[in-house]
Amino acid sequence: PSLGYHVSDVYRYNADSLQYYNTSRPYSAFGYRLGSKLEQVASLMHTQNVRPNWNVSVEYRKTNSPGYYAVQRNNNDNAAFTTDFKSLNKRYKLYAGFVYNKEQHDENGGISDSALSDTNLIERKAIPTVYQNGQYSTMRSPVSNTLRDFTGILQHSYTWGRTDTTYNADSTQYSYSLHPRFSITHKMEISTEKHTYNDLAPDSLNYTSLFTQSFINKGGYYQAGGDSVFTQQKWFWVDNKVMLNGFLGKEGKQLKFSAGIGNRYDQFVSTPALVLIKDSLPAKVYTVGLDRNSYVSNYVTGSIQKEALTPGEWQYIATAQLFLTGTYAGNFTLNGDIGKSIK
């Protein structure tokens, strides 16, 4: 199990999976796809080098679909920015990226099984749904879930090793090559995620397992004097680590290793939350507030990796992370992959 909401992961841009480019000319790519039930996906990417050793790029994608059934609209926006810089002697490298995702999903509450055998309901759009409310809208549902996240990542490193300078035939141009031995890397990630739930035309029967409350609602949507159900959860975290990286073995068959230390900060906020007024006893009186929890921990981490540089070689990678102090002390994660290409 992992923290966060993963139902919309397939539609997201991920900060640790961004593309970094190097191009001699500005390059743009446009995309448009039309899917089933009027699903539309439009995308834009542009990248260019500010200097031969410094590149920037931006990406945007829009996904919209009304869904197969009534009031089942999905509306997603994704944006990303990346930049990478390499010093002319190839010793210093910097990678930075920023990602924004918004996934909005209208809930229709499902359908009745008997509707599937009704011969008069040929189109799925005509099947009545639980949250369908003509007073509110014929296209939108009064019940919606929205996920938003913004993540920034910065990784830079300095490498030590043997350098060579190669000249062309008439010695008018030259280039550097670097044979790395070890490097120091600093990586920082900052992320904030927010989940919002709205029900603008609540039915008390839908919430009997959570709380007992009768709702006053006029016109099928929220108005002054009416009731709605709202909740919001936020997750903010910062992860900082410093790594020592090196290479073992002969050139062409090197094993890469990394080891380092890191610090992790997490904050969780839920609102609204019921807060008991301390001086209200013996009669329990509650007010609406928020629930906030913060956690700080320190960890050690390491990895071993070998690439398959020739046909038939084994490739493998193993990573480990162990929390030593703080709230998460004692928690750990181990991962390993091994593979080989077969004819």
Side-chain angles (χ1 to χ4, degrees), residues 117-265:
S117 58
D118 190 337
T119 56
N120 296 318
L121 299 173
I122 299 176
E123 288 288 334
R124 278 184 277 189
K125 281 287 186 183
I127 299 177
T129 60
V130 174
Y131 295 151
Q132 197 168 346
N133 192 323
Q135 290 180 299
Y136 173 71
S137 172
T138 58
M139 302 296 293
R140 295 291 310 275
S141 171
V143 183
S144 64
N145 278 284
T146 303
L147 295 170
R148 284 186 174 91
D149 66 87
F150 179 83
T151 303
I153 184 170
L154 169 68
Q155 177 173 309
H156 53 136
S157 62
Y158 189 86
T159 302
W160 285 267
R162 180 170 53 87
T163 60
D164 287 330
T165 305
T166 304
Y167 292 86
N168 63 348
D170 57 2
S171 299
T172 57
Q173 294 181 346
Y174 63 91
S175 62
Y176 285 107
S177 63
L178 174 65
H179 302 273
R181 297 308 301 174
F182 68 94
S183 65
I184 293 180
T185 299
H186 169 241
K187 183 177 181 180
M188 180 177 66
E189 297 175 87
I190 301 177
S191 181
T192 176
E193 300 185 21
K194 180 173 70 174
H195 167 244
T196 303
Y197 172 82
N198 270 305
D199 187 347
L200 301 179
D203 184 342
S204 58
L205 295 178
N206 295 331
Y207 301 96
T208 53
S209 62
L210 302 173
F211 54 83
T212 302
Q213 175 69 43
S214 59
F215 297 109
I216 301 174
N217 195 275
K218 300 176 182 179
Y221 55 93
Y222 180 77
Q223 291 180 340
D227 289 325
S228 64
V229 175
F230 167 84
T231 185
Q232 188 176 88
Q233 292 181 314
K234 296 181 180 179
W235 176 25
F236 172 77
W237 58 269
V238 180
D239 195 299
N240 253 307
K241 61 183 176 183
V242 178
M243 305 282 291
L244 174 66
N245 315 290
F247 297 90
L248 297 174
K250 297 180 180 179
E251 187 173 348
K253 294 185 177 181
Q254 289 182 323
L255 179 73
K256 182 180 179 180
F257 69 89
S258 299
I261 58 175
N263 173 266
R264 174 90 182 193
Y265 172 78

Side-chain angles (χ1 to χ4, degrees), residues 1-150:
S2 60
L3 296 172
Y5 300 91
H6 300 292
V7 66
S8 298
D9 281 0
V10 67
Y11 303 106
R12 300 172 67 245
Y13 285 161
N14 295 304
D16 60 357
S17 302
L18 293 173
Q19 300 292 326
Y20 294 89
Y21 303 93
N22 189 290
T23 178
S24 58
R25 291 186 176 92
Y27 178 83
S28 298
F30 304 89
Y32 178 79
R33 298 194 302 274
L34 184 64
S36 57
K37 295 301 176 182
L38 300 180
E39 180 191 46
Q40 300 179 81
V41 181
S43 61
L44 164 68
M45 187 277 288
H46 176 77
T47 181
Q48 69 180 75
N49 275 42
V50 180
R51 294 179 179 178
N53 57 329
W54 180 19
N55 176 271
V56 295
S57 70
V58 293
E59 291 186 68
Y60 174 75
R61 182 175 63 199
K62 177 78 170 182
T63 306
N64 185 277
S65 173
Y68 280 94
Y69 293 90
V71 293
Q72 200 182 22
R73 175 178 176 266
N74 287 270
N75 185 39
N76 301 334
D77 293 281
N78 314 101
F81 169 82
T82 66
T83 182
D84 63 287
F85 172 83
K86 302 177 184 64
S87 63
L88 295 178
N89 61 8
K90 303 186 183 297
R91 293 188 182 276
Y92 178 76
K93 295 182 180 180
L94 181 145
Y95 298 91
F98 302 92
V99 164
Y100 170 79
N101 296 292
K102 186 214 73 177
E103 296 92 20
Q104 185 183 64
H105 173 64
D106 284 7
E107 306 283 353
N108 63 17
I111 64 174
S112 172
D113 292 345
S114 60
L116 296 175
S117 58
D118 190 337
T119 56
N120 296 318
L121 299 173
I122 299 176
E123 288 288 334
R124 278 184 277 189
K125 281 287 186 183
I127 299 177
T129 60
V130 174
Y131 295 151
Q132 197 168 346
N133 192 323
Q135 290 180 299
Y136 173 71
S137 172
T138 58
M139 302 296 293
R140 295 291 310 275
S141 171
V143 183
S144 64
N145 278 284
T146 303
L147 295 170
R148 284 186 174 91
D149 66 87
F150 179 83

